Amino acid sequence: MLILGVHSGWADAGAAVFDDYAMLAAVPLARLTGMPRDGGRLPIEAIVECLDIAGLRADEIGALCLSQGVFPGRYYNHLSLPRRLGRGLRQLFGRDTPISLSDEMRRHGQAASALLNLPVLLDDLGLNRNIAVHVYRDHAAQSLLALAEAAWDHGLVYTADEAGCCASVLKYGRLAVLFDDETDLAAETLTPGRLLGLCVDALGLPDAVSLFALAAHGEPMLGQAMLAHLRVDDDGHIQADFSAEGGVQRWLRRLAQDQPPALVASSLHFALSSLFAQAIAALMQRHDLRHLALGGSLFADPRMVHMIGQALQPAGLSLYPRATNAALPLGGVLDLLLQRDGIADWQHRRQPLAQAAWGRDYTADIDPVLGNAGCRLVSHDPVRAAAALLNAGKLVACYDGRARGADGGAARLVLFSGGNPGATASANQRLERPGWLPPAIYVARVGLGLLCPGLDIAQAQGGIAALPAPRWQQSLHAALLPDGLVVPVAVDAQQSPLLADLLAAYASLSELPALLGLPMQVGNLPPADAPAEALQLLQDGRVDYIVTDNAVWERGT
């Protein structure tokens, strides 16, 4: 069955197309519009792009999976006459806003099918009216994304995002939800994710990723003070009470004015890591579980996952890398397949998605685009030439024609050597990103055990921070976080042959088993995707060279 997955949330909207368990295409809306974390509407452009990549017509789709996101008022059939009139006036003056489906479901206590005018929605998308429509919860999608990467069949599945936390137990061939804050809590309840969002706003940071990165450069001196207002109850819920401080927003604003931003970020990072470890430990002990799967945007930080792993020491740890909402359409499709097939068949047929290909295949396009733009061809031996340039300290963009990874960006990288302690700050400066944003270390699968003993392939592909072996710490200064951790990413030679070959050639020259990499991303803009965007990086002097499957290129005169 051909399945279209859609996420229309306030941010990170996107779409994906599956043929049963096989992903055919996935595209975040931001990649097409150039708007960071684009959302707040139906991602029509992403839907059209996915269908085009998969070579399908809309009327061939057999099922539609929708998140409990936001939709225009015309797709709701329950709005009262005053609400309809008010929305009509706002639309007339260009001030109409979409309506949150999850809020409406909570307000009216009804299922999505009773609130949405599905025939009109299906008609607008060009889909057949008689296809199956499945509305999924964000936490269900996040849970199944993490579970798809798990090599075990029993354990705790725990997710955390802006809306709250969710815990499920996989045991005895059943997946049972213990609690889900997304549906159980009032919209104004202070969850860990909302606390994190308020802290991001108070510090004036663009997103949670920036806060996590900044946290690595501060001391958690206020961590215990934050924990005094937070606790884990007997059922594993995380609860907050800042009433003695005049409310959490007022307290955070005072902290942001009086304390260094890195100290505030580090303190919150410490508090959340401690709380999650307590909550998860209590649930695993109560249900006699030894394996753990983590999902949701709050576990996108490798250091937090490392701290939780060190505190709990689970027998197996699984998560979907980067854990952003851009992957929710994938998880929504997995949720539909679970409802259709049952957990036993789902586990047997599931396919890991950590290295799935996203977007278009630009393999045949990148070299003609660079050549026609006047770029100079440096070498027809791309691997050896690029390895020599990297060894000489150059900044080289590795452009793989088919983007892979959690959001399609793992194969489009700005690579550099880790021998120079100032390399990361220099690379971030050229990309107009904060100098403290950490790079990942890309290492061949066969070299992972040498670089980070004890870290397995699944954890490396999931982006879990680890301690490198002592012999490499001095030579990989640029990749070390202040606590000595690195974020290793295991590279599969079959999935990413160009990067794998580069690693091998670079190792033979430098005797270092890894390269450092940042996304091909300027500032907070979406990562470079199409060949023209990679070309712009080279023409603007953001990188020194671009290496493709066929050649190494530099900017023309």
Side-chain angles (χ1 to χ4, degrees):
M1 179 170 63
L2 296 171
I3 308 169
L4 172 63
V6 175
H7 172 52
S8 59
W10 290 111
D12 296 321
V17 173
F18 279 65
D19 184 355
D20 263 19
Y21 289 83
M23 191 177 91
L24 303 180
V27 178
L29 181 61
R31 290 293 181 89
L32 302 176
T33 64
M35 298 290 292
R37 305 195 66 197
D38 198 2
R41 61 187 177 89
L42 275 172
I44 300 298
E45 300 95 325
I47 294 171
V48 172
E49 181 77 350
C50 282
L51 292 172
D52 193 45
I53 292 170
L56 298 172
R57 301 187 313 272
D59 59 10
E60 295 180 274
I61 296 297
L64 171 65
C65 299
L66 294 171
S67 65
Q68 295 178 7
V70 296
F71 298 88
R74 65 188 301 266
Y75 293 134
Y76 290 91
N77 54 27
H78 72 289
L79 301 183
S80 64
L81 181 59
R83 286 187 74 184
R84 289 183 182 276
L85 290 175
R87 298 193 65 82
L89 288 173
R90 287 197 296 272
Q91 187 173 12
L92 183 65
F93 290 101
R95 298 177 181 175
D96 194 20
T97 56
I99 300 175
S100 167
L101 176 58
S102 59
D103 288 350
E104 293 300 302
M105 293 171 65
R106 187 181 292 110
R107 176 186 298 176
H108 296 279
Q110 292 184 295
S113 57
L115 302 176
L116 288 176
N117 191 333
L118 291 176
V120 174
L121 176 60
L122 292 170
D123 285 346
D124 285 356
L125 295 178
L127 304 173
N128 292 322
R129 284 193 172 192
N130 59 349
I131 67 171
V133 178
H134 174 66
V135 180
Y136 62 88
R137 297 178 296 106
D138 288 1
H139 282 297
Q142 294 161 358
S143 297
L144 296 178
L145 282 169
L147 204 54
E149 308 298 322
W152 38 265
D153 58 5
H154 65 282
L156 179 72
V157 187
Y158 192 94
T159 64
D161 63 8
E162 292 81 358
C165 305
C166 176
S168 303
V169 170
L170 176 61
K171 200 173 185 180
Y172 306 128
R174 295 179 62 247
L175 181 62
V177 177
L178 298 176
F179 63 80
D180 185 353
D181 291 348
E182 187 178 3
T183 55
D184 298 342
L185 297 182
E188 64 275 6
T189 302
L190 181 63
T191 64
R194 290 171 191 155
L195 174 60
L196 180 68
L198 291 172
C199 191
V200 167
D201 292 340
L203 295 176
L205 297 172
D207 51 35
V209 174
S210 298
L211 185 141
F212 287 143
L214 182 61
H217 297 267
E219 293 293 330
M221 297 176 63
L222 300 175
Q224 293 299 331
M226 289 186 177
L227 284 174
H229 301 280
L230 303 161
R231 69 179 185 89
V232 178
D233 67 17
D234 294 338
D235 295 321
H237 286 279
I238 296 174
Q239 298 183 345
D241 182 5
F242 286 86
S243 57
E245 302 288 347
V248 64
Q249 288 178 293
R250 181 177 298 177
W251 190 61
L252 286 173
R253 280 197 298 268
R254 287 202 306 268
L255 289 183
Q257 292 171 357
D258 299 337
Q259 303 292 342
L263 184 150
V264 179
S266 180
S267 299
L268 180 61
H269 185 277
F270 169 83
L272 291 181
S273 300
S274 301
L275 285 167
F276 286 136
Q278 292 176 38
I280 294 169
L283 292 169
M284 293 180 71
Q285 183 176 11
R286 176 180 298 179
H287 296 278
D288 191 24
L289 300 170
R290 294 278 298 140
H291 298 84
L292 174 64
L294 297 175
S297 56
L298 266 64
F299 296 123
D301 177 49
R303 291 177 62 247
M304 181 178 292
V305 176
H306 172 81
M307 292 172 67
I308 293 171
Q310 290 296 302
L312 301 179
Q313 294 292 315
L317 178 60
S318 170
L319 78 161
Y320 184 74
R322 292 174 64 87
T324 65
N325 287 341
L328 284 176
L330 285 61
V333 173
L334 294 179
D335 191 44
L336 169 65
L337 293 170
L338 175 64
Q339 305 305 318
R340 186 192 71 180
D341 299 337
I343 187 64
D345 196 25
W346 186 93
Q347 286 182 282
H348 177 70
R349 300 177 63 186
R350 63 186 172 179
Q351 298 182 16
L353 296 170
Q355 294 298 315
W358 286 56
R360 290 189 177 275
D361 186 349
Y362 290 113
T363 303
D365 301 328
I366 180 64
D367 292 293
V369 167
L370 296 174
N372 292 335
C375 296
R376 191 174 76 86
L377 195 154
V378 174
S379 175
H380 278 299
D381 187 355
V383 172
R384 287 203 300 175
L389 292 167
L390 287 163
N391 195 43
K394 301 299 183 182
L395 210 59
V396 179
C398 177
Y399 189 92
D400 194 315
R402 196 72 194 267
R404 296 185 182 274
D407 59 3
R412 312 259 173 83
L413 299 167
V414 175
L415 297 173
F416 52 98
S417 169
N420 176 11
T424 297
S426 175
N428 275 325
Q429 182 179 23
R430 291 177 66 173
L431 295 170
E432 294 186 15
R433 293 160 64 81
W436 36 260
L437 281 177
I441 288 188
Y442 292 86
V443 57
R445 290 175 66 116
V446 294
L448 179 63
L450 182 67
L451 181 71
C452 296
L455 192 70
D456 62 35
I457 297 295
Q459 291 176 342
Q461 289 182 333
I464 297 177
L467 280 171
R471 63 176 294 195
W472 304 115
Q473 292 179 13
Q474 188 68 26
S475 56
L476 292 174
H477 266 302
L480 292 179
L481 295 167
D483 48 13
L485 295 171
V486 295
V487 184
V489 178
V491 177
D492 189 304
Q494 291 186 331
Q495 299 285 356
S496 304
L498 175 59
L499 182 54
D501 290 345
L502 267 177
L503 287 167
Y506 175 73
S508 68
L509 289 175
S510 67
E511 299 185 354
L512 291 175
L515 281 166
L516 276 56
L518 292 166
M520 294 175 61
Q521 181 178 10
V522 177
N524 290 319
L525 296 175
D529 187 33
E533 296 168 354
L535 168 65
Q536 195 66 48
L537 289 179
L538 185 61
Q539 290 179 329
D540 291 346
R542 309 283 186 186
V543 298
D544 300 316
Y545 299 90
I546 292 180
V547 58
T548 71
D549 285 340
N550 303 307
V552 173
W553 299 85
E554 69 177 348
R555 182 173 48 175
T557 55

